[in-house]
Amino acid sequence: MWWFYTFDITKFENLVGSKNETIAQTVIEAATWEDENEELSRAASNLVMNGFDADNCSEDNLKTYDELFQILFSPEGLSDELDIKPISPDGVHPSLIVEMLEHAKDTSMTQMLINLKSGRRYKQVFTSDCEYCILTTNEVAALHNEVEKIINHGHNWSEQSYPSVLKECLLDVLTTAQNNGNAVIALLG
């Protein structure tokens, strides 16, 4: 299920690449609260001290960063520091995303929605199998518009309840984030 959380993207972007030792220690502690994982510790430190560029990471490092982002945006991670708040009344099953993509037919209507098929790494343009997706405030608005058009188009859904589920669990969630001017992270789990 996709679960949605709002957060303060300015605070997050001030953390990434800040080169601040105190912030680095906070991020390392958040990343390794459960166990002393050297790879996660190194990735957390690198995130703060050097920033993040998925295009210049090995596949192994990307998997470590994917795990890091999942942890940092969890309740045990940096929820207080980034003002992370859950906004999903219930999760959205990935099969609903696939069905929405099928109903859209026109790919120009799904430039943001496609990211909820399997995820998109931080600051990447293309989708990836990372199981998270960070949406800026502009991307939240764009995804909201795409979802609204697809729901309101009157498709023949495989289940009659899908439009109301999507409205409550995705469109209303995006509306809340948009009205509050928040960024969103979607976590698949």
Side-chain angles (χ1 to χ4, degrees):
M1 301 286 256
W2 281 105
W3 298 95
F4 299 88
Y5 303 82
T6 59
F7 72 100
D8 187 327
I9 197 161
T10 302
K11 288 181 179 180
F12 179 68
E13 289 180 341
N14 287 340
L15 171 151
V16 176
S18 69
K19 300 187 186 314
N20 182 307
E21 295 281 342
T22 304
I23 292 173
Q25 190 57 43
T26 300
V27 174
I28 291 168
E29 288 171 7
T32 59
W33 69 271
E34 195 169 38
D35 65 67
E36 294 297 317
N37 182 316
E38 187 60 37
E39 288 179 25
L40 281 174
S41 180
R42 191 171 30 258
S45 178
N46 283 335
L47 180 69
V48 174
M49 301 310 284
N50 303 315
F52 178 72
D53 182 3
D55 295 328
N56 290 316
C57 284
S58 70
E59 194 60 36
D60 287 342
N61 284 343
L62 284 174
K63 293 202 181 308
T64 302
Y65 277 106
D66 292 345
E67 183 180 356
L68 175 65
F69 280 100
Q70 295 264 352
I71 292 169
L72 295 181
F73 282 95
S74 74
E76 298 81 10
L78 297 174
S79 60
D80 291 338
E81 292 83 353
L82 300 178
D83 298 326
I84 299 169
K85 294 179 179 47
I87 56 170
S88 299
D90 203 356
V92 176
H93 196 277
S95 65
L96 286 173
I97 302 301
V98 171
E99 186 161 343
M100 288 178 67
L101 290 167
E102 290 169 357
H103 287 309
K105 294 189 184 5
D106 179 0
T107 57
S108 68
M109 284 180 58
T110 61
Q111 292 181 358
M112 295 310 308
L113 183 62
I114 191 74
N115 295 313
L116 295 181
K117 193 169 180 183
S118 59
R120 183 189 71 190
R121 289 190 174 98
Y122 176 60
K123 292 211 172 189
Q124 279 199 310
V125 176
F126 302 105
T127 61
S128 59
D129 291 329
C130 61
E131 299 185 348
Y132 76 91
C133 181
I134 293 176
L135 300 167
T136 66
T137 53
N138 290 339
E139 290 172 331
V140 168
L143 179 58
H144 179 278
N145 292 340
E146 291 176 10
V147 170
E148 187 173 48
K149 285 177 187 172
I150 294 167
I151 290 173
N152 292 336
H153 195 269
H155 301 287
N156 291 324
W157 296 88
S158 61
E159 295 286 333
Q160 188 175 357
S161 64
Y162 282 0
S164 61
V165 168
L166 287 166
K167 182 185 179 315
E168 179 185 357
C169 298
L170 184 55
L171 189 61
D172 290 352
V173 163
L174 296 169
T175 300
T176 298
Q178 191 174 9
N179 289 344
N180 295 329
N182 292 122
V184 167
I185 183 160
L187 298 173
L188 186 60

